[in-house]
Amino acid sequence: MKYGIVAFPSKELQDRANTYRKRYDAHYALIPPHMTVLGPFTLEGKEMKEAAAELLEVAAKQKPFELKVMRASTFAPITNAIYLKIEPNDEILGLREALSLDFIKNIEDHQYVPHITIAQKMSDGEHDDIIGQVKMDNFEHTETIDRVHLLYQLEDGPWTVYETFTLSGDE
C-alpha cells in the first residue's frame, strides 16, 4: 500500500488551484490540492497503527510553518507538470527530515521541491499552450500550516486521510 504525508492549504488556495486542476490535472478526482511533505512511500516492518503513533510523536515536536506561494512554474522538460512554487524554509525541510523515519521507504527518488501541482500528464502541446497563461496569473499567497495528514491510497486510486497530526512545537 502507498502512503504519503501532506499539508492541505486553506480553502481559498485550494479553490484557486482547482480552477486549473479541474481541466489540466489527471489526479483532480483522486486528491485535493496539497503540498507533499513526504511520499509516496511504503511502510517496512511496521503496521499502519504503530507507524501513525510514531509519526504523531515526531509531528507534535514540530512547529507550524509558513506556506508561501511565490508563483507558478513547471517541471518541463522532465515532465509536463505545472505547479505553484512554495518557498522552501527551515520548518518545511526540518519537518520532512524529522518525519523520514527508518521504516518509511520512499517510492520516488528525486530532489524535493515544495509545491502544489495544478496540471500534469499533459501532452507537450497542451503544456506549451497553457504555461504562459498560468505564469501570468498572480498566485502570491502566504498562510500558516499547523497540521499535516497521513494519507493512504485506495486500490482504485483515490487518497484518504488516515490520521491528522497537529504541529504544536511541543518538545
Side-chain angles (χ1 to χ4, degrees):
M1 185 173 282
K2 283 186 192 174
Y3 301 94
I5 299 174
V6 305
F8 291 118
S10 63
K11 181 176 179 341
E12 174 190 351
L13 187 54
Q14 286 191 41
D15 288 349
R16 295 251 357 254
N18 278 335
T19 60
Y20 287 99
R21 289 186 75 230
K22 277 187 270 193
R23 185 166 176 195
Y24 301 112
D25 186 352
H27 294 169
Y28 172 76
L30 304 179
I31 188 169
H34 63 281
M35 180 192 81
T36 299
V37 176
L38 197 61
F41 60 84
T42 58
L43 298 176
E44 195 167 278
K46 296 252 184 220
E47 293 298 317
M48 180 67 156
K49 189 174 180 178
E50 188 181 10
E54 286 191 42
L55 289 165
L56 175 63
E57 194 176 307
V58 171
K61 295 177 184 173
Q62 305 302 308
K63 291 187 167 96
F65 62 85
E66 181 178 85
L67 184 143
K68 183 177 181 181
V69 176
M70 301 178 337
R71 65 184 175 279
S73 193
T74 180
F75 287 122
I78 311 287
T79 179
N80 286 337
I82 300 171
Y83 61 92
L84 303 181
K85 181 168 180 47
I86 295 171
E87 185 175 286
N89 59 43
D90 291 343
E91 288 79 18
I92 293 172
L93 300 176
L95 174 63
R96 178 177 165 80
E97 186 176 330
L99 292 171
S100 297
L101 301 174
D102 60 353
F103 57 83
I104 290 177
K105 301 301 172 198
N106 274 315
I107 294 171
E108 296 177 5
D109 186 28
H110 52 75
Q111 183 179 351
Y112 179 64
V113 176
H115 69 280
I116 298 170
T117 302
I118 59 172
Q120 62 184 317
K121 302 195 185 298
M122 299 177 292
S123 69
D124 290 346
E126 194 173 26
H127 174 273
D128 295 346
D129 284 348
I130 68 159
I131 188 61
Q133 171 195 341
V134 173
K135 281 188 169 187
M136 286 192 300
D137 203 340
N138 179 9
F139 285 104
E140 288 182 16
H141 175 91
T142 303
E143 64 184 71
T144 299
I145 300 292
D146 65 356
R147 64 198 65 220
V148 293
H149 311 272
L150 173 61
L151 309 181
Y152 63 97
Q153 189 174 31
L154 301 173
E155 286 183 24
D156 57 346
W159 289 83
T160 300
V161 174
Y162 180 82
E163 192 154 343
T164 297
F165 306 127
T166 302
L167 307 173
S168 56
D170 297 337
E171 289 298 325

